[in-house]
Amino acid sequence: MSTATLQLTTDPIVSRKRKPIPQAPVEAEIESLTPEGRGLIHIGDRKVFVDGALAGERVRLRYRRVNRRFDEAVVEEVLRASPDRVEAKCPHFGVCGGCGFQHLDVRAQIRIKQEGLEAAFMQIAKVTPERWLDPLMADHWGYRRKARLGVRYVTKKGRTLVGFRERGNAFLADLTRCEVLHPRVGERLTVIGETIDRLSIRDQIPQIEMAMGDETCVLVFRAMQTPTPDDEALLLELGRREGFQIHIQEGGVDSVRALPGQTTTLSYSLPAHDIDIAFLPTDFTQVNLALNRQMLDQALDLLEVEPSDQVLDLFCGLGNFTLPLARRAASVVGVEGDAGLVARALANAERNGIDNARFYSANLYDDLTSEPWVEERFSKALLDPPRTGALEVLDWLPRLGVERVLYVSCNPATLARDADRLVNGLGYSLRAAGVMDMFPHTAHVESMALFERRA
């Protein structure tokens, strides 16, 4: 494994006010890279995390924070650069906390993520896949179609900031553009902020949720106070001028409302499967549409779905996997904890003329004994859980007759934990695994693993 191996854990930050921050710069060799994109070194018996450094580099650093268990520093000068170092595209890199890896070549980013997944499997589950999948990669810039952006009117600056928080603190970064957001929004942060400046409730807008389908872009303005008719007119003017559909959210998710004349439904297409999926702006969807399409193709190919298969799709959401599976299988059952998503999954099945997919709402972390679908038999299953993983539902898989499992993960640690249960407890083999670059230039690791029950 290379010197750039990810460290799987870091210690919690605990402030230690009494110890002074060393003032003199220090030269050091960077030992490895953390999941957040910081260099790691040891000075004496203390860990030092270094912003802006890559594994194998020699740098001159300056301390900026001393904590109880570790210290933090920032690179002042790179004395010997890593061959993987590149010039960051974004002028705000290093200040904005939205990206941690822009100074690292994209091929090195995905290599390090794969090495981190390999390390998680070995350290947690003591397993390794029989085959490593080639990493899936798509657009590296302007790929993000879903995001929550912070908003704050800053009196000292006399204007509203829109974007992500600064690295290492709670302040909003002063951004003029964002290179990973879709250009429809990423190139218009200043324009959006200028409109908020003119609102009577400019200091009552803490957040904007961005959601895009194939073409349409919705901005949901979180409002702590009801906008006036003049405020709504200003937001509608922004929408007409810049091509946004404008929504307001004054309370919980159920309070989201479109302003007059604005659409409430978005959609994205999956051309390879003749599927079009409709969704609401606050629904969960994958942020990277091009990568999502690749992910679907690989998932279905690995599962080797046949016309006779009965397939179970757990944590199915809107039917992102369920409906393409239904194009190939005899039948598919999708299960999801969010009743609203289940309703929209059913509507999406009807929208696409699919009559062999059924959907159920169930908390997959609770007792499932009384659920009607656990009385059925399934040959194959797909799991796409949240970061907490799917441990609570795994024991059902062999009981339901599942021979092949495709697990899509957004957290290598919980995937490895669940692989331990599947392989070492339930009699499955880890046939293949690999990473997917759903979030380029960030530390987020999306991966996929195929399990098959041993004879």
Side-chain angles (χ1 to χ4, degrees):
M1 189 172 295
S2 78
T3 57
T5 300
L6 288 174
Q7 307 298 304
L8 293 180
T9 59
T10 60
D11 295 317
I13 296 176
V14 181
S15 176
R16 189 179 186 182
K17 297 181 180 179
R18 293 183 180 178
K19 187 172 180 179
I21 298 174
Q23 297 300 307
V26 175
E27 289 189 14
E29 299 271 350
I30 303 301
E31 300 163 15
S32 58
L33 198 65
T34 73
E36 298 81 20
R38 298 193 292 177
L40 172 64
I41 61 174
H42 290 79
I43 296 180
D45 61 349
R46 294 182 63 78
K47 294 179 181 178
V48 182
F49 296 100
V50 186
D51 283 339
L54 297 176
E57 292 188 327
R58 185 164 186 82
V59 302
R60 180 176 292 112
L61 61 88
R62 184 175 293 278
Y63 283 83
R64 68 177 184 183
R65 191 172 298 146
V66 173
N67 300 292
R68 182 179 176 186
R69 298 183 180 179
F70 61 87
D71 302 329
E72 296 177 273
V74 62
V75 168
E76 283 198 335
E77 183 181 359
V78 177
L79 303 174
R80 187 187 67 242
S82 164
D84 293 326
R85 178 176 284 276
V86 295
E87 189 72 24
K89 182 176 183 179
C90 180
H92 307 295
F93 178 72
V95 175
C96 176
C99 296
F101 283 162
Q102 280 198 29
H103 59 322
L104 184 63
D105 182 82
V106 291
R107 292 162 296 184
Q109 291 180 31
I110 200 68
R111 184 189 72 233
I112 289 171
K113 291 178 182 183
Q114 187 103 338
E115 289 172 350
L117 178 62
E118 180 180 356
F121 278 138
M122 288 302 298
Q123 293 175 19
I124 298 172
K126 304 297 188 292
V127 298
T128 190
E130 296 175 10
R131 174 169 65 98
W132 281 107
L133 303 170
D134 291 336
L136 296 185
M137 301 177 72
D139 301 328
H140 301 128
W141 303 108
Y143 64 84
R144 188 159 187 172
R145 291 169 175 259
K146 198 80 160 53
R148 288 179 180 170
L149 305 173
V151 178
R152 185 172 181 84
Y153 179 78
V154 180
T155 303
K156 289 184 178 180
K157 293 180 180 288
R159 57 190 172 86
T160 299
L161 306 184
V162 178
F164 298 105
R165 300 194 184 280
E166 292 182 357
R167 183 179 295 187
N169 65 55
F171 297 113
L172 276 185
D174 190 350
L175 307 182
T176 57
R177 61 186 295 115
C178 176
E179 299 292 349
V180 297
L181 291 177
H182 191 281
R184 290 273 292 278
V185 175
E187 295 178 356
R188 292 171 172 82
L189 299 180
T190 300
V191 171
I192 295 169
E194 289 171 351
T195 295
I196 296 173
D197 285 341
R198 299 166 62 195
L199 302 180
S200 69
I201 58 168
R202 66 186 181 188
D203 57 351
Q204 297 295 311
I205 307 287
Q207 177 182 287
I208 299 171
E209 185 159 355
M210 162 199 177
M212 277 193 70
D214 282 326
E215 298 295 336
T216 305
C217 180
V218 169
L219 297 183
V220 181
F221 287 78
R222 180 78 171 94
M224 307 301 289
Q225 182 178 325
T226 301
T228 66
D230 286 345
D231 291 334
E232 293 191 1
L234 286 169
L235 291 172
L236 286 170
E237 178 190 337
L238 169 71
R240 285 191 294 269
R241 188 175 68 246
E242 305 296 341
F244 301 135
Q245 298 291 313
I246 306 296
H247 291 53
I248 300 294
Q249 181 181 354
E250 296 176 58
V253 174
D254 292 341
S255 74
V256 174
R257 61 183 174 89
L259 292 186
Q262 305 295 282
T263 184
T264 58
T265 303
L266 299 165
S267 68
Y268 64 89
S269 62
L270 305 171
H273 309 282
D274 190 24
I275 298 290
D276 188 70
I277 293 185
F279 64 98
L280 298 181
T282 54
D283 286 340
F284 171 81
T285 57
Q286 298 291 352
V287 303
N288 189 328
L289 180 57
L291 200 287
N292 182 54
R293 289 168 175 161
Q294 291 187 39
M295 177 177 68
L296 283 166
D297 293 344
Q298 178 168 277
L300 269 63
D301 289 346
L302 288 171
L303 271 177
E304 297 181 0
V305 179
E306 301 291 340
S308 60
D309 280 325
Q310 315 289 324
V311 183
L312 179 63
D313 181 11
L314 300 179
F315 310 95
C316 70
L318 292 160
N320 185 57
F321 288 100
T322 324
L323 302 183
L325 284 166
R327 292 291 195 211
R328 298 191 184 188
S331 67
V332 184
V333 167
V335 186
E336 165 61 43
D338 185 321
L341 290 178
V342 170
R344 286 185 284 284
L346 282 165
N348 277 318
E350 295 178 7
R351 176 189 181 98
N352 289 278
I354 291 173
D355 59 8
N356 63 334
R358 290 174 289 129
F359 295 91
Y360 297 89
S361 177
N363 185 341
L364 291 166
Y365 298 107
D366 280 351
D367 179 17
L368 301 174
T369 307
S370 62
E371 295 296 326
W373 50 272
V374 301
E375 302 297 325
E376 302 182 38
R377 302 285 289 179
F378 301 93
S379 52
K380 292 166 184 174
L382 189 147
L383 284 66
D384 184 15
R387 291 186 60 80
T388 49
L391 184 63
E392 291 80 356
V393 78
L394 297 181
D395 283 20
W396 281 99
L397 298 177
R399 293 165 63 180
L400 296 173
V402 175
E403 296 293 329
R404 183 170 288 200
V405 180
L406 196 285
Y407 191 128
V408 179
S409 168
C410 58
N411 185 346
T414 53
L415 171 58
R417 179 204 65 193
D418 292 355
D420 181 31
R421 181 60 185 156
L422 286 165
V423 173
N424 300 315
L426 297 176
Y428 290 85
S429 296
L430 179 54
R431 298 297 189 195
V435 295
M436 304 174 288
D437 210 8
M438 185 70 74
F439 291 82
H441 311 296
T442 78
H444 184 95
V445 182
E446 197 94 4
S447 55
M448 183 180 293
L450 177 69
F451 299 87
E452 194 167 57
R453 198 166 185 194
R454 295 190 289 272

